[in-house]
Amino acid sequence: MLTSKMFGSKPGQSDHKLSSVVPIKETVPEKKDVELILVKEQNGVQYTNNTIIAPDTSLKYETPVQEEQEREHWGKKIDFLLSVVGFSVDLANVWRFPYLCYKNGGGAFLIPYTLFLIIAGMPLFYMELALGQYNREGAATVWKICPCFKGVGYTVILIALYVGFYYNVIIAWSLYYLVSSFTSELPWTKCGNKWNTDNCTDPNHLNFSLSNGTTYAEYKLTPAAQFYERAVLHLDGSTGIDDLGQPRWQLSICLFAVLIVLFFSLWKGVKTSGKVVWITATLPYVVLFVLLIRGVTLPGSSKGISSYLHIDLEKLQEATVWIDAATQIFYSLGAGFGVLIAFASYNKFDNNCYRDALLTSTINCVTSFISGFAIFSILGYMAQKNNVDIKDVATEGPGLVFIIYPEAISTLRGSTVWAIVFFIMLITLGIDSAMGGMEAVITGLADDIAIFKKHRKLFTFLVAVITFLFALLCITNGGIYVVTLLDTFAAGTSILFAVLIEAIGVSWFYGVDRFSDDIYRMLGFKPGLYWRLCWKFVSPAFLLFVVIASIVKYKPLVYDDYPFPAWANHTGWAVALSSMMLVPLYFIYKFMTVRGSFKKRLAYCITPENEYHLVAQGDIRQFKLRHWLTIG
């Protein structure tokens, strides 16, 4: 574990290393009339706008604690921007947002979506980038600003690890589809394959009826649906989550290939991952544009696009529309997974993270909107081709990208090429998001545990192996049930809870004024009143709303017509609680391991580590009403 130097009486063990110069003497020097000083603590030199002020020689200084090596930086600024965009723009931008927009009033959905982006999404995004860049630490050790909240860091690291267990499997499915596409005729075009059942029905000969309430998207007898469920997932070999079976060797190979790519992208840190994202973050935009151009030229595409953009303002009266908008903006931007903090920690100290936050969060949301045109132009074509309404082919999630879209592609001229292009897009969308999640785990723990940082390559390999082994559960015959369970519980209410506590920790316990001062030291200007109000009041209220909504909306797990047994739901909640419990457990641990009276223990828990000397002097800022009322 890394250790730190502390002023005054020693409260106990600390997990961090301070890289700044620390004074021993407890007396405060006489205040002088000088210009506003911008302090860059990383090198111990104080700068004003036009002079350099020598350090006060009346104070005795210990030799600063030097890190074993200078923290790595991004090779270029664009590496960081592409990494952030690549992480936040993922599969959900393609398979979830367009459907939510269509379902919740079309263009009207953009009103709550944009509102939540402005009052909560962007402020949280900005907060995490600034937090990581100023402290230059991962998700756990960044909490030297308020030590008792370090459990939040461990929570998001564990959640990021959980997500890797199933998210990489979805990329493996895409790779399987890509390999299967290298044929003269796509394998999901017709019936008669070894995986098809006797009642498999060619869509061209399908006299489809909606009298039984089943939509086209839910119909499981088409070649595309049976290829996905019987050839890829082998779902027919499982009766439920209690009958998983053995991992499929084909998917095991695909999963292994995905983890190999992730390992070699991350093993040398951001110097290598920053180059990989030049491909994985930009290629999806090229492919999306090509698919959009092809989609709008198809018959029926205009019907699909008009359905996507239709404005139904009456939908705004429904609470579910606002809940969906709030939830989508949160998950879309990717705040709370520790990734933004990890990425920003490799920035230069004076990088303009404010501009980066506005730029990348805007790109993310615009991408979601534009992807809707590429998706619904194809859905309009499918609806016209099968003589059904848009609502019968509109769906979200894996059913959209692994059944409906591939089926539409199979009917186009040059279908093989279009399939290859589409699944390359899915793979690249997934890879850089998976890279971000794994980097959050690696950086978060390596900054906390010195031996992991010293042997980063070996530690990266260990994380990749652990991820692969647990992911094997998701590529069994019943693996889709495990994916569904993890997708619902691993990063559901738990990640919302973690970010809520994070927002409270930064804005209330550390203090918006302190945080604003940190940003001033980096950028030379303080955040405006709008940002400070959002951090202090709006963002925590927004997150509390989303947490409550996620609990209220909870329903027992179901996959198609299969209801999960009670024990599976209990297991899911156990997975969620396993990460959330780290917050109170670490607080108890921290409180019990520091020394002193109850009041002093509490003070050490909620005071930044570089202000421990003030606690020793009895000057505890958090015990004053002004601290809780100020907004900077």
Side-chain angles (χ1 to χ4, degrees), residues 595-615:
R595 301 169 188 167
S597 64
F598 179 90
K599 182 179 178 180
K600 215 159 202 179
R601 287 186 177 194
L602 183 60
Y604 280 123
C605 286
I606 62 178
T607 300
E609 291 184 356
N610 63 356
E611 296 182 9
Y612 274 1
H613 64 294
L614 297 178
V615 177

Side-chain angles (χ1 to χ4, degrees), residues 97-112 301-316 318 321 369 372-373 376 379 390-391 394:
F97 175 84
Y99 176 75
L100 284 180
C101 189
Y102 161 76
K103 183 184 78 169
N104 291 309
F109 180 72
L110 298 178
I111 296 175
S301 61
S302 59
K303 181 181 177 182
I305 292 174
S306 64
S307 298
Y308 171 55
L309 293 178
H310 80 286
I311 299 177
D312 184 3
L313 293 176
E314 292 185 0
K315 279 282 189 179
L316 297 180
E318 300 177 11
V321 175
F369 180 66
F373 290 90
F376 271 85
L379 293 182
I390 293 290
K391 65 180 181 180

Side-chain angles (χ1 to χ4, degrees), residues 99-379:
Y99 176 75
L100 284 180
C101 189
Y102 161 76
K103 183 184 78 169
N104 291 309
F109 180 72
L110 298 178
I111 296 175
Y113 183 79
T114 305
L115 174 65
F116 288 136
L117 168 66
I118 295 172
I119 68 172
M122 282 184 173
L124 287 170
F125 204 88
Y126 181 18
M127 182 184 77
E128 290 211 342
L129 290 185
L131 191 64
Q133 182 172 304
Y134 180 81
N135 293 284
R136 305 192 68 195
E137 300 280 0
T141 49
V142 76
W143 287 104
K144 61 189 178 185
I145 64 172
C146 190
C148 66
F149 280 79
K150 190 176 180 181
V152 178
Y154 292 133
T155 294
V156 299
I157 290 171
L158 185 57
I159 290 173
L161 189 63
Y162 285 160
V163 171
F165 295 162
Y166 70 91
Y167 193 84
N168 293 316
V169 170
I170 300 173
I171 306 173
W173 296 344
S174 302
L175 181 58
Y176 185 92
Y177 266 88
L178 176 64
V179 174
S180 301
S181 298
F182 286 93
T183 57
S184 57
E185 183 180 65
L186 297 175
W188 55 85
T189 304
K190 296 179 180 179
C191 298
N193 300 290
K194 61 181 180 180
W195 57 80
N196 293 127
T197 61
D198 293 337
N199 55 359
C200 175
T201 308
D202 191 321
N204 295 322
H205 305 136
L206 182 64
N207 182 17
F208 193 71
S209 172
L210 300 179
S211 58
N212 61 356
T214 302
T215 65
Y216 187 87
E218 297 170 336
Y219 195 63
K220 299 299 183 182
L221 299 181
T222 62
Q226 292 202 343
F227 179 81
Y228 172 63
E229 292 199 339
R230 299 176 67 87
V232 180
L233 302 183
H234 285 268
L235 191 56
D236 55 303
S238 172
T239 58
I241 194 170
D242 50 1
D243 178 28
L244 295 180
Q246 299 295 317
R248 307 297 305 181
W249 68 267
Q250 299 95 329
L251 290 180
S252 298
I253 294 174
C254 293
L255 179 63
F256 181 76
V258 170
L259 268 300
I260 287 292
V261 171
L262 291 177
F263 170 70
F264 283 108
S265 298
L266 297 172
W267 71 324
K268 290 185 178 180
V270 295
K271 294 293 186 183
T272 54
S273 64
K275 299 299 178 287
V276 174
V277 292
W278 280 75
I279 298 174
T280 59
T282 57
L283 188 58
Y285 286 94
V286 176
V287 175
L288 191 63
F289 178 74
V290 171
L291 291 174
L292 174 60
I293 297 301
R294 183 67 182 101
V296 298
T297 62
L298 297 173
S301 61
S302 59
K303 181 181 177 182
I305 292 174
S306 64
S307 298
Y308 171 55
L309 293 178
H310 80 286
I311 299 177
D312 184 3
L313 293 176
E314 292 185 0
K315 279 282 189 179
L316 297 180
Q317 300 176 18
E318 300 177 11
T320 55
V321 175
W322 295 83
I323 293 173
D324 283 346
T327 306
Q328 177 61 21
I329 197 66
F330 173 80
Y331 284 114
S332 178
L333 292 178
F337 288 90
V339 178
L340 300 179
I341 293 175
F343 282 165
S345 72
Y346 296 107
N347 278 334
K348 293 181 179 179
F349 185 77
D350 58 354
N351 173 65
N352 193 335
C353 56
Y354 171 65
R355 182 180 56 199
D356 296 345
L358 296 181
L359 177 63
T360 53
S361 57
T362 301
I363 289 174
N364 175 281
C365 296
V366 171
T367 302
S368 296
F369 180 66
I370 293 176
S371 68
F373 290 90
I375 295 299
F376 271 85
S377 60
I378 290 292
L379 293 182

